[in-house]
Amino acid sequence: MSRKPSFANLRDRTPSEPVAPAPLAAGQGASTGPASRQGRKQIAGFFSPEMSFAMHTLARRQGRSLQALMAEAFNDVLRKHGESPIGD
């Protein structure tokens, strides 16, 4: 098994060494993946365990996905700052 590329690996190599692109694992790549993710970008963040629990609990109670609640929250922030909401 090959190691994942990292900044530490780049830091430790000499400038004359070429940088080879890492091979993609099965299922990776721009043209693969679930159809529901095509044309979408991931937005991620780190939150407290309490926030995570509260959001997952609310999503379950409402029968909605966490992603749907996050889209609603992001649109609320956009409106609050005078921007047009984007949708999902």
PDB file of all heavy atoms in Angstrom, residues 15-47:
ATOM      1  N   PRO A  15      14.693  19.540  -3.968  1.00  0.00           N
ATOM      2  CA  PRO A  15      14.045  20.269  -5.046  1.00  0.00           C
ATOM      3  C   PRO A  15      14.162  19.583  -6.416  1.00  0.00           C
ATOM      4  O   PRO A  15      13.335  19.781  -7.283  1.00  0.00           O
ATOM      5  CB  PRO A  15      14.752  21.618  -5.068  1.00  0.00           C
ATOM      6  CG  PRO A  15      15.350  21.754  -3.717  1.00  0.00           C
ATOM      7  CD  PRO A  15      15.640  20.366  -3.244  1.00  0.00           C
ATOM      8  N   SER A  16      15.202  18.771  -6.645  1.00  0.00           N
ATOM      9  CA  SER A  16      15.374  18.139  -7.949  1.00  0.00           C
ATOM     10  C   SER A  16      14.467  16.921  -8.148  1.00  0.00           C
ATOM     11  O   SER A  16      14.337  16.431  -9.258  1.00  0.00           O
ATOM     12  CB  SER A  16      16.828  17.712  -8.130  1.00  0.00           C
ATOM     13  OG  SER A  16      17.174  16.769  -7.124  1.00  0.00           O
ATOM     14  N   GLU A  17      13.865  16.401  -7.072  1.00  0.00           N
ATOM     15  CA  GLU A  17      12.986  15.243  -7.214  1.00  0.00           C
ATOM     16  C   GLU A  17      11.662  15.661  -7.845  1.00  0.00           C
ATOM     17  O   GLU A  17      11.035  16.611  -7.396  1.00  0.00           O
ATOM     18  CB  GLU A  17      12.684  14.625  -5.841  1.00  0.00           C
ATOM     19  CG  GLU A  17      13.856  13.958  -5.174  1.00  0.00           C
ATOM     20  CD  GLU A  17      13.454  13.387  -3.832  1.00  0.00           C
ATOM     21  OE1 GLU A  17      12.615  12.465  -3.824  1.00  0.00           O
ATOM     22  OE2 GLU A  17      13.953  13.882  -2.819  1.00  0.00           O
ATOM     23  N   PRO A  18      11.230  14.962  -8.894  1.00  0.00           N
ATOM     24  CA  PRO A  18       9.927  15.300  -9.484  1.00  0.00           C
ATOM     25  C   PRO A  18       8.785  14.872  -8.567  1.00  0.00           C
ATOM     26  O   PRO A  18       8.920  13.937  -7.789  1.00  0.00           O
ATOM     27  CB  PRO A  18       9.907  14.502 -10.784  1.00  0.00           C
ATOM     28  CG  PRO A  18      10.838  13.364 -10.540  1.00  0.00           C
ATOM     29  CD  PRO A  18      11.897  13.872  -9.577  1.00  0.00           C
ATOM     30  N   VAL A  19       7.688  15.580  -8.657  1.00  0.00           N
ATOM     31  CA  VAL A  19       6.508  15.252  -7.869  1.00  0.00           C
ATOM     32  C   VAL A  19       5.557  14.484  -8.776  1.00  0.00           C
ATOM     33  O   VAL A  19       5.043  15.023  -9.744  1.00  0.00           O
ATOM     34  CB  VAL A  19       5.814  16.527  -7.333  1.00  0.00           C
ATOM     35  CG1 VAL A  19       4.573  16.168  -6.571  1.00  0.00           C
ATOM     36  CG2 VAL A  19       6.778  17.306  -6.471  1.00  0.00           C
ATOM     37  N   ALA A  20       5.351  13.221  -8.455  1.00  0.00           N
ATOM     38  CA  ALA A  20       4.441  12.392  -9.251  1.00  0.00           C
ATOM     39  C   ALA A  20       3.046  12.480  -8.652  1.00  0.00           C
ATOM     40  O   ALA A  20       2.891  12.470  -7.435  1.00  0.00           O
ATOM     41  CB  ALA A  20       4.923  10.949  -9.241  1.00  0.00           C
ATOM     42  N   PRO A  21       2.025  12.596  -9.495  1.00  0.00           N
ATOM     43  CA  PRO A  21       0.669  12.639  -8.951  1.00  0.00           C
ATOM     44  C   PRO A  21       0.318  11.307  -8.302  1.00  0.00           C
ATOM     45  O   PRO A  21       0.737  10.246  -8.762  1.00  0.00           O
ATOM     46  CB  PRO A  21      -0.211  12.894 -10.174  1.00  0.00           C
ATOM     47  CG  PRO A  21       0.624  12.538 -11.350  1.00  0.00           C
ATOM     48  CD  PRO A  21       2.050  12.680 -10.940  1.00  0.00           C
ATOM     49  N   ALA A  22      -0.418  11.368  -7.209  1.00  0.00           N
ATOM     50  CA  ALA A  22      -0.834  10.160  -6.504  1.00  0.00           C
ATOM     51  C   ALA A  22      -1.895   9.439  -7.323  1.00  0.00           C
ATOM     52  O   ALA A  22      -2.782  10.071  -7.888  1.00  0.00           O
ATOM     53  CB  ALA A  22      -1.391  10.529  -5.132  1.00  0.00           C
ATOM     54  N   PRO A  23      -1.801   8.110  -7.411  1.00  0.00           N
ATOM     55  CA  PRO A  23      -2.829   7.381  -8.154  1.00  0.00           C
ATOM     56  C   PRO A  23      -4.161   7.467  -7.437  1.00  0.00           C
ATOM     57  O   PRO A  23      -4.220   7.474  -6.209  1.00  0.00           O
ATOM     58  CB  PRO A  23      -2.292   5.947  -8.174  1.00  0.00           C
ATOM     59  CG  PRO A  23      -1.348   5.868  -7.030  1.00  0.00           C
ATOM     60  CD  PRO A  23      -0.791   7.253  -6.843  1.00  0.00           C
ATOM     61  N   LEU A  24      -5.230   7.554  -8.203  1.00  0.00           N
ATOM     62  CA  LEU A  24      -6.559   7.614  -7.619  1.00  0.00           C
ATOM     63  C   LEU A  24      -7.027   6.220  -7.237  1.00  0.00           C
ATOM     64  O   LEU A  24      -6.821   5.268  -7.982  1.00  0.00           O
ATOM     65  CB  LEU A  24      -7.560   8.222  -8.604  1.00  0.00           C
ATOM     66  CG  LEU A  24      -7.339   9.683  -8.963  1.00  0.00           C
ATOM     67  CD1 LEU A  24      -8.344  10.120 -10.017  1.00  0.00           C
ATOM     68  CD2 LEU A  24      -7.482  10.549  -7.732  1.00  0.00           C
ATOM     69  N   ALA A  25      -7.636   6.110  -6.081  1.00  0.00           N
ATOM     70  CA  ALA A  25      -8.217   4.841  -5.658  1.00  0.00           C
ATOM     71  C   ALA A  25      -9.485   4.596  -6.454  1.00  0.00           C
ATOM     72  O   ALA A  25     -10.062   5.508  -7.042  1.00  0.00           O
ATOM     73  CB  ALA A  25      -8.520   4.889  -4.160  1.00  0.00           C
ATOM     74  N   ALA A  26      -9.936   3.358  -6.467  1.00  0.00           N
ATOM     75  CA  ALA A  26     -11.168   3.024  -7.178  1.00  0.00           C
ATOM     76  C   ALA A  26     -12.310   3.878  -6.653  1.00  0.00           C
ATOM     77  O   ALA A  26     -12.473   4.059  -5.448  1.00  0.00           O
ATOM     78  CB  ALA A  26     -11.496   1.548  -6.984  1.00  0.00           C
ATOM     79  N   GLY A  27     -13.096   4.444  -7.551  1.00  0.00           N
ATOM     80  CA  GLY A  27     -14.227   5.268  -7.143  1.00  0.00           C
ATOM     81  C   GLY A  27     -13.896   6.734  -6.970  1.00  0.00           C
ATOM     82  O   GLY A  27     -14.771   7.536  -6.690  1.00  0.00           O
ATOM     83  N   GLN A  28     -12.613   7.109  -7.103  1.00  0.00           N
ATOM     84  CA  GLN A  28     -12.242   8.514  -6.970  1.00  0.00           C
ATOM     85  C   GLN A  28     -12.107   9.137  -8.345  1.00  0.00           C
ATOM     86  O   GLN A  28     -11.878   8.459  -9.332  1.00  0.00           O
ATOM     87  CB  GLN A  28     -10.912   8.670  -6.238  1.00  0.00           C
ATOM     88  CG  GLN A  28     -10.989   8.460  -4.762  1.00  0.00           C
ATOM     89  CD  GLN A  28      -9.660   8.780  -4.104  1.00  0.00           C
ATOM     90  OE1 GLN A  28      -8.610   8.644  -4.707  1.00  0.00           O
ATOM     91  NE2 GLN A  28      -9.719   9.214  -2.877  1.00  0.00           N
ATOM     92  N   GLY A  29     -12.228  10.417  -8.405  1.00  0.00           N
ATOM     93  CA  GLY A  29     -12.031  11.128  -9.663  1.00  0.00           C
ATOM     94  C   GLY A  29     -13.175  12.072  -9.913  1.00  0.00           C
ATOM     95  O   GLY A  29     -14.232  11.981  -9.315  1.00  0.00           O
ATOM     96  N   ALA A  30     -12.954  13.000 -10.825  1.00  0.00           N
ATOM     97  CA  ALA A  30     -13.943  14.038 -11.088  1.00  0.00           C
ATOM     98  C   ALA A  30     -15.201  13.494 -11.741  1.00  0.00           C
ATOM     99  O   ALA A  30     -16.280  14.013 -11.553  1.00  0.00           O
ATOM    100  CB  ALA A  30     -13.329  15.119 -11.966  1.00  0.00           C
ATOM    101  N   SER A  31     -15.077  12.428 -12.536  1.00  0.00           N
ATOM    102  CA  SER A  31     -16.242  11.951 -13.277  1.00  0.00           C
ATOM    103  C   SER A  31     -16.962  10.795 -12.586  1.00  0.00           C
ATOM    104  O   SER A  31     -17.898  10.246 -13.140  1.00  0.00           O
ATOM    105  CB  SER A  31     -15.822  11.528 -14.686  1.00  0.00           C
ATOM    106  OG  SER A  31     -14.910  10.456 -14.588  1.00  0.00           O
ATOM    107  N   THR A  32     -16.493  10.394 -11.415  1.00  0.00           N
ATOM    108  CA  THR A  32     -17.141   9.290 -10.722  1.00  0.00           C
ATOM    109  C   THR A  32     -17.775   9.787  -9.436  1.00  0.00           C
ATOM    110  O   THR A  32     -17.596  10.913  -9.032  1.00  0.00           O
ATOM    111  CB  THR A  32     -16.131   8.170 -10.400  1.00  0.00           C
ATOM    112  OG1 THR A  32     -15.132   8.706  -9.546  1.00  0.00           O
ATOM    113  CG2 THR A  32     -15.489   7.604 -11.640  1.00  0.00           C
ATOM    114  N   GLY A  33     -18.502   8.916  -8.787  1.00  0.00           N
ATOM    115  CA  GLY A  33     -19.161   9.265  -7.540  1.00  0.00           C
ATOM    116  C   GLY A  33     -20.660   9.293  -7.735  1.00  0.00           C
ATOM    117  O   GLY A  33     -21.157   9.218  -8.866  1.00  0.00           O
ATOM    118  N   PRO A  34     -21.395   9.387  -6.657  1.00  0.00           N
ATOM    119  CA  PRO A  34     -22.849   9.384  -6.750  1.00  0.00           C
ATOM    120  C   PRO A  34     -23.370  10.550  -7.588  1.00  0.00           C
ATOM    121  O   PRO A  34     -22.822  11.650  -7.545  1.00  0.00           O
ATOM    122  CB  PRO A  34     -23.314   9.534  -5.304  1.00  0.00           C
ATOM    123  CG  PRO A  34     -22.132   9.244  -4.457  1.00  0.00           C
ATOM    124  CD  PRO A  34     -20.916   9.509  -5.288  1.00  0.00           C
ATOM    125  N   ALA A  35     -24.421  10.296  -8.322  1.00  0.00           N
ATOM    126  CA  ALA A  35     -25.025  11.348  -9.153  1.00  0.00           C
ATOM    127  C   ALA A  35     -25.463  12.537  -8.308  1.00  0.00           C
ATOM    128  O   ALA A  35     -25.425  13.679  -8.763  1.00  0.00           O
ATOM    129  CB  ALA A  35     -26.205  10.778  -9.926  1.00  0.00           C
ATOM    130  N   SER A  36     -25.861  12.283  -7.060  1.00  0.00           N
ATOM    131  CA  SER A  36     -26.318  13.370  -6.186  1.00  0.00           C
ATOM    132  C   SER A  36     -25.202  14.345  -5.840  1.00  0.00           C
ATOM    133  O   SER A  36     -25.475  15.452  -5.369  1.00  0.00           O
ATOM    134  CB  SER A  36     -26.914  12.792  -4.898  1.00  0.00           C
ATOM    135  OG  SER A  36     -25.931  12.058  -4.183  1.00  0.00           O
ATOM    136  N   ARG A  37     -23.946  13.963  -6.051  1.00  0.00           N
ATOM    137  CA  ARG A  37     -22.815  14.850  -5.742  1.00  0.00           C
ATOM    138  C   ARG A  37     -22.234  15.514  -6.987  1.00  0.00           C
ATOM    139  O   ARG A  37     -21.340  16.357  -6.864  1.00  0.00           O
ATOM    140  CB  ARG A  37     -21.718  14.067  -5.027  1.00  0.00           C
ATOM    141  CG  ARG A  37     -22.140  13.625  -3.650  1.00  0.00           C
ATOM    142  CD  ARG A  37     -21.015  12.961  -2.935  1.00  0.00           C
ATOM    143  NE  ARG A  37     -21.448  12.498  -1.635  1.00  0.00           N
ATOM    144  CZ  ARG A  37     -20.720  11.762  -0.823  1.00  0.00           C
ATOM    145  NH1 ARG A  37     -19.512  11.404  -1.183  1.00  0.00           N
ATOM    146  NH2 ARG A  37     -21.192  11.380   0.334  1.00  0.00           N
ATOM    147  N   GLN A  38     -22.703  15.165  -8.159  1.00  0.00           N
ATOM    148  CA  GLN A  38     -22.187  15.756  -9.382  1.00  0.00           C
ATOM    149  C   GLN A  38     -22.508  17.250  -9.412  1.00  0.00           C
ATOM    150  O   GLN A  38     -23.632  17.650  -9.122  1.00  0.00           O
ATOM    151  CB  GLN A  38     -22.778  15.066 -10.620  1.00  0.00           C
ATOM    152  CG  GLN A  38     -22.378  13.611 -10.746  1.00  0.00           C
ATOM    153  CD  GLN A  38     -20.880  13.401 -10.861  1.00  0.00           C
ATOM    154  OE1 GLN A  38     -20.213  14.096 -11.617  1.00  0.00           O
ATOM    155  NE2 GLN A  38     -20.357  12.448 -10.108  1.00  0.00           N
ATOM    156  N   GLY A  39     -21.526  18.068  -9.725  1.00  0.00           N
ATOM    157  CA  GLY A  39     -21.719  19.514  -9.795  1.00  0.00           C
ATOM    158  C   GLY A  39     -21.828  20.182  -8.439  1.00  0.00           C
ATOM    159  O   GLY A  39     -22.278  21.319  -8.338  1.00  0.00           O
ATOM    160  N   ARG A  40     -21.435  19.504  -7.382  1.00  0.00           N
ATOM    161  CA  ARG A  40     -21.525  20.057  -6.025  1.00  0.00           C
ATOM    162  C   ARG A  40     -20.143  20.148  -5.406  1.00  0.00           C
ATOM    163  O   ARG A  40     -19.220  19.453  -5.792  1.00  0.00           O
ATOM    164  CB  ARG A  40     -22.411  19.169  -5.161  1.00  0.00           C
ATOM    165  CG  ARG A  40     -23.784  19.013  -5.754  1.00  0.00           C
ATOM    166  CD  ARG A  40     -24.779  18.886  -4.672  1.00  0.00           C
ATOM    167  NE  ARG A  40     -26.114  18.878  -5.229  1.00  0.00           N
ATOM    168  CZ  ARG A  40     -27.062  19.672  -4.807  1.00  0.00           C
ATOM    169  NH1 ARG A  40     -26.814  20.540  -3.867  1.00  0.00           N
ATOM    170  NH2 ARG A  40     -28.261  19.603  -5.323  1.00  0.00           N
ATOM    171  N   LYS A  41     -19.990  21.030  -4.426  1.00  0.00           N
ATOM    172  CA  LYS A  41     -18.749  21.197  -3.682  1.00  0.00           C
ATOM    173  C   LYS A  41     -19.020  20.921  -2.216  1.00  0.00           C
ATOM    174  O   LYS A  41     -20.060  21.290  -1.692  1.00  0.00           O
ATOM    175  CB  LYS A  41     -18.243  22.634  -3.799  1.00  0.00           C
ATOM    176  CG  LYS A  41     -17.919  23.090  -5.196  1.00  0.00           C
ATOM    177  CD  LYS A  41     -16.585  22.633  -5.664  1.00  0.00           C
ATOM    178  CE  LYS A  41     -15.496  23.328  -4.892  1.00  0.00           C
ATOM    179  NZ  LYS A  41     -14.173  22.935  -5.245  1.00  0.00           N
ATOM    180  N   GLN A  42     -18.075  20.287  -1.555  1.00  0.00           N
ATOM    181  CA  GLN A  42     -18.206  19.993  -0.136  1.00  0.00           C
ATOM    182  C   GLN A  42     -17.807  21.214   0.686  1.00  0.00           C
ATOM    183  O   GLN A  42     -16.822  21.893   0.383  1.00  0.00           O
ATOM    184  CB  GLN A  42     -17.322  18.819   0.250  1.00  0.00           C
ATOM    185  CG  GLN A  42     -17.424  18.463   1.718  1.00  0.00           C
ATOM    186  CD  GLN A  42     -16.535  17.282   2.087  1.00  0.00           C
ATOM    187  OE1 GLN A  42     -15.593  16.957   1.389  1.00  0.00           O
ATOM    188  NE2 GLN A  42     -16.848  16.650   3.182  1.00  0.00           N
ATOM    189  N   ILE A  43     -18.590  21.485   1.729  1.00  0.00           N
ATOM    190  CA  ILE A  43     -18.253  22.515   2.720  1.00  0.00           C
ATOM    191  C   ILE A  43     -18.222  21.791   4.060  1.00  0.00           C
ATOM    192  O   ILE A  43     -19.175  21.100   4.412  1.00  0.00           O
ATOM    193  CB  ILE A  43     -19.308  23.637   2.769  1.00  0.00           C
ATOM    194  CG1 ILE A  43     -19.424  24.327   1.418  1.00  0.00           C
ATOM    195  CG2 ILE A  43     -18.961  24.635   3.865  1.00  0.00           C
ATOM    196  CD1 ILE A  43     -20.526  25.374   1.364  1.00  0.00           C
ATOM    197  N   ALA A  44     -17.147  21.927   4.789  1.00  0.00           N
ATOM    198  CA  ALA A  44     -17.014  21.198   6.048  1.00  0.00           C
ATOM    199  C   ALA A  44     -16.545  22.129   7.154  1.00  0.00           C
ATOM    200  O   ALA A  44     -15.978  23.191   6.890  1.00  0.00           O
ATOM    201  CB  ALA A  44     -16.018  20.052   5.880  1.00  0.00           C
ATOM    202  N   GLY A  45     -16.791  21.735   8.370  1.00  0.00           N
ATOM    203  CA  GLY A  45     -16.338  22.498   9.520  1.00  0.00           C
ATOM    204  C   GLY A  45     -16.221  21.596  10.728  1.00  0.00           C
ATOM    205  O   GLY A  45     -16.762  20.490  10.737  1.00  0.00           O
ATOM    206  N   PHE A  46     -15.544  22.058  11.744  1.00  0.00           N
ATOM    207  CA  PHE A  46     -15.404  21.314  12.986  1.00  0.00           C
ATOM    208  C   PHE A  46     -16.180  22.035  14.071  1.00  0.00           C
ATOM    209  O   PHE A  46     -15.986  23.238  14.285  1.00  0.00           O
ATOM    210  CB  PHE A  46     -13.919  21.192  13.374  1.00  0.00           C
ATOM    211  CG  PHE A  46     -13.171  20.276  12.456  1.00  0.00           C
ATOM    212  CD1 PHE A  46     -12.576  20.760  11.308  1.00  0.00           C
ATOM    213  CD2 PHE A  46     -13.094  18.920  12.724  1.00  0.00           C
ATOM    214  CE1 PHE A  46     -11.896  19.929  10.450  1.00  0.00           C
ATOM    215  CE2 PHE A  46     -12.415  18.071  11.870  1.00  0.00           C
ATOM    216  CZ  PHE A  46     -11.822  18.574  10.729  1.00  0.00           C
ATOM    217  N   PHE A  47     -17.060  21.309  14.732  1.00  0.00           N
ATOM    218  CA  PHE A  47     -17.934  21.883  15.753  1.00  0.00           C
ATOM    219  C   PHE A  47     -17.845  21.058  17.026  1.00  0.00           C
ATOM    220  O   PHE A  47     -17.355  19.926  17.014  1.00  0.00           O
ATOM    221  CB  PHE A  47     -19.382  21.919  15.239  1.00  0.00           C
ATOM    222  CG  PHE A  47     -19.532  22.728  13.988  1.00  0.00           C
ATOM    223  CD1 PHE A  47     -19.486  22.134  12.741  1.00  0.00           C
ATOM    224  CD2 PHE A  47     -19.688  24.099  14.044  1.00  0.00           C
ATOM    225  CE1 PHE A  47     -19.609  22.868  11.572  1.00  0.00           C
ATOM    226  CE2 PHE A  47     -19.809  24.862  12.890  1.00  0.00           C
ATOM    227  CZ  PHE A  47     -19.770  24.238  11.651  1.00  0.00           C
TER     228      PHE A  47
END
